[in-house]
Amino acid sequence: MDESANAEQPSVRLGVLLADPGLGLTQVAGPPEDRLVSTVGTTEIEDPTPYLVGGELLLTAGVRLPDDADGVDMYVRRVVAAGVAALGFGVAPVHPEVPPDLVRACDRHGLPLLRLPPATPFVAVGQATYAAISETRNRELREISRAQSALASAAARPDTLRAVLGQLAARTGTWSVLYDAQGTELFSAGSRPSSPAPRLLHDLAVRTLQRGGGPTAAAAHHAQGVHLTVHTLPGADGSTTALALGQAATTAPTVVHRQVTSTATVLLALLTSPRHALSTDTHSVGALVRLMLGATPAEVAPALLPGDGTSDHWTVVHGRHRPARDASVPRTAADPAQLAALAALLGTPYVHMDGPSLKALIPSAPDTTPSVPAQAADLGWVLGFSAPMSAPDLPHADTQAERALQRAIAAEAPAVIHNPDALTVHALVPPADGRELARTRFAPLDRAGAPGAPVLLDTLRTWLTLHGSWDRTAAALQVHRNTVRHRLARLADLLDVDLQDPGVRMELWFALQWLPGEPTDTGA
């Protein structure tokens, strides 16, 4: 019997009634599965199906039970089709024992058959059932209340989205994922199921988001023993970019799980709203008002710092978004989902997005190294971090963060943290200018002829690395030393340079590092 509908109303497991010593019930036929019982009914009519709603423990003493096997079989088939959870047969005074035809029919049609001893009144079974249902319902309400309290506490944490998902996963025993409109995993919590469940959940979320259907929509799927559910969250104005909450579990969702998920869905919708994402709290608003009325950043900065006394500096972050090539939905400038996700990843509410650009302020302790969130790269963001600085030095930190971002973009790295000890020529020269210098400097080699520009450049690079040693260069390249001399003489002639001049060697070395495709120092 499908218990999905019955699970939505207060019920009790059949095993609870069988385990009650005061009832003395025994199962004499049917499958041993622990079905849900939502009510108790008593009947002595030949066809009770017009009066059944499903989920009943149907009690009878067999007053009008058919005398022949075919009639008994028809009776059982009718109550099974009506959705009865189990049949209880009271022995004596009508029948001294459960009729064998009834036992065989219940086994044949998969209906649990319980034997009620003569000393157990039908009324006692009803009372015990409703008492157990009441206790089960109270236990569910207590569990829901504890879960809602835990979700509310998680929503107050700095890493709010991750914390809420963690509580949801723990309280429902699911792998819980928050997707954006492109199907990107913003956050996840719980044990990740084996393939193909993650892919199936992702596809279900994308289809549900694309289908729309009002402010919110839901979908469910069951595949290979895994129950998949998706709930969409409303977008910034109820119609724009939406988010989806996906869950994967090895068991069907219960009433408690559904209620806890509903609460989490509402919380996540609020936490990704523009008001929350833009952090319009009283401290931020008060600092902004003071700043506009003439206060300096140094004067208002303490109002924005945590009150734990451990942070009195700021790390500036610059970012650039690089959307996936197959992204079907473009990102909006100030997408609340991105704001909330990045605020949680960076650990700060002070995040500003302007189209594909990002700036953020992270409260930091002095002499600490910023923590780079690995998941930011998964969301398509390249980041540059400054060193922690006090409020009066924020303009300098802003320059550091921008240079770090440029280094990250040039090196195709997910992030670069400013290193005060890594002030190099590469950090001072914009990457685009350096590459243009390299192309211009080595352009004459395009007319080199055999063995070609790549061979000449490789020979020059090896020779400079080995501090001008002809023999070591020849050994490294596995050629004769005269071949090295001939190649470098040809290169010097084409570039019109004197390779014995240390200044020329220095210039060529830096130009080599700026050639497209060359590895460069990633320090900013």
Side-chain angles (χ1 to χ4, degrees):
M1 183 183 66
D2 184 5
E3 294 185 346
S4 59
N6 202 22
E8 296 299 328
Q9 54 186 323
S11 56
V12 64
R13 291 286 174 182
L14 189 59
V16 174
L17 302 179
L18 289 169
D20 189 337
L23 298 178
L25 305 178
T26 56
Q27 184 170 346
V28 296
E33 62 190 49
D34 199 8
R35 295 184 175 180
L36 291 173
V37 174
S38 58
T39 188
V40 176
T42 301
T43 182
E44 298 298 343
I45 60 178
E46 293 181 3
D47 182 12
T49 54
Y51 309 100
L52 301 176
V53 295
E56 295 94 347
L57 170 56
L58 188 62
L59 304 179
T60 181
V63 175
R64 304 289 298 274
L65 190 69
D67 296 330
D68 60 295
D70 290 341
V72 172
D73 187 83
M74 176 62 72
Y75 178 85
V76 173
R77 279 195 289 117
R78 284 173 174 171
V79 297
V80 168
V84 166
L87 182 65
F89 195 89
V91 297
V94 180
H95 294 269
E97 193 50 70
V98 181
D101 287 340
L102 184 60
V103 173
R104 286 190 289 270
C106 288
D107 278 331
R108 187 180 305 116
H109 297 290
L111 179 65
L113 176 60
L114 311 185
R115 178 186 184 277
L116 278 67
T120 300
F122 285 6
V123 173
V125 176
Q127 290 175 337
T129 300
Y130 297 129
I133 289 176
S134 177
E135 174 56 32
T136 299
R137 184 56 177 164
N138 288 336
R139 184 168 58 252
E140 290 174 346
L141 290 174
R142 290 193 296 270
E143 188 176 347
I144 291 171
S145 178
R146 289 192 295 267
Q148 290 175 334
S149 177
L151 288 170
S153 298
R157 290 180 47 173
D159 56 341
T160 175
L161 295 178
R162 183 180 283 112
V164 169
L165 276 182
Q167 283 296 328
L168 175 62
R171 299 286 172 169
T172 59
T174 63
W175 180 56
S176 300
V177 191
L178 187 62
Y179 297 100
D180 68 5
Q182 290 79 23
T184 305
E185 290 184 17
L186 299 178
F187 296 101
S188 66
S191 299
R192 188 182 187 92
S194 58
S195 180
R199 176 180 58 79
L200 294 176
L201 185 61
H202 167 272
D203 294 345
L204 182 63
V206 171
R207 290 197 304 271
T208 307
L209 285 167
Q210 292 175 345
R211 186 171 64 245
T216 60
H221 182 56
H222 181 260
Q224 301 184 15
V226 180
H227 296 264
L228 309 174
T229 57
V230 168
H231 296 81
T232 63
L233 281 63
D237 58 4
S239 61
T240 56
T241 303
L243 301 175
L245 171 64
Q247 293 174 290
T250 55
T251 57
T254 65
V255 173
V256 174
H257 294 168
R258 293 178 191 276
Q259 185 61 50
V260 174
T261 298
S262 177
T263 300
T265 301
V266 173
L267 268 178
L268 291 170
L270 292 172
L271 295 173
T272 55
S273 67
R275 181 176 298 276
H276 182 86
L278 294 173
S279 304
T280 53
D281 57 87
T282 55
H283 292 290
S284 300
V285 172
L288 177 61
V289 170
R290 292 173 57 195
L291 191 65
M292 293 184 68
L293 293 180
T296 65
E299 292 172 330
V300 302
L304 304 178
L305 290 166
D308 54 15
T310 61
S311 303
D312 58 0
H313 282 52
W314 299 86
T315 295
V316 178
V317 183
H318 282 209
R320 183 71 53 80
H321 187 260
R322 291 183 168 180
R325 294 179 180 177
D326 58 351
S328 58
V329 181
R331 302 219 182 263
T332 59
D335 180 348
Q338 285 282 309
L339 280 175
L342 287 167
L345 288 172
L346 295 172
T348 177
Y350 308 120
V351 180
H352 170 68
M353 285 175 56
D354 183 9
S357 298
L358 157 75
K359 289 187 178 182
L361 287 171
I362 303 176
S364 308
D367 301 322
T368 59
T369 301
S371 177
V372 177
Q375 200 168 0
D378 297 335
L379 300 179
W381 288 94
V382 182
L383 302 177
F385 292 78
S386 75
M389 292 192 181
S390 60
D393 295 325
L394 283 178
H396 185 42
D398 187 58
T399 302
Q400 288 183 355
E402 179 59 28
R403 288 179 176 173
L405 173 61
Q406 294 302 324
R407 296 297 302 151
I409 293 173
E412 297 185 351
V416 164
I417 300 175
H418 172 78
N419 185 347
D421 298 326
L423 189 60
T424 66
V425 173
H426 291 291
L428 297 176
V429 177
D433 293 345
R435 288 191 292 269
E436 182 60 28
L437 171 64
R439 282 192 294 266
T440 303
R441 193 70 186 85
F442 294 118
L445 298 184
D446 293 339
R447 59 178 187 274
V455 173
L456 294 179
L457 288 173
D458 188 42
T459 303
L460 174 64
R461 184 184 300 105
T462 306
W463 184 69
L464 291 174
T465 301
L466 298 175
H467 307 290
S469 171
W470 306 100
D471 292 332
R472 292 171 62 193
T473 301
L477 297 176
Q478 296 183 334
V479 297
H480 195 275
R481 67 192 304 271
N482 288 338
T483 301
V484 174
R485 287 183 177 273
H486 175 74
R487 290 178 181 175
L488 291 178
R490 176 64 175 153
L491 183 142
D493 182 57
L494 289 169
L495 298 182
D496 191 22
V497 296
D498 179 7
L499 292 180
Q500 302 307 312
D501 186 336
V504 171
R505 293 189 188 189
M506 179 185 69
E507 178 191 351
L508 294 177
W509 175 254
F510 283 121
L512 282 171
Q513 311 310 305
W514 280 311
L515 280 176
E518 285 295 313
T520 57
D521 178 15
T522 57

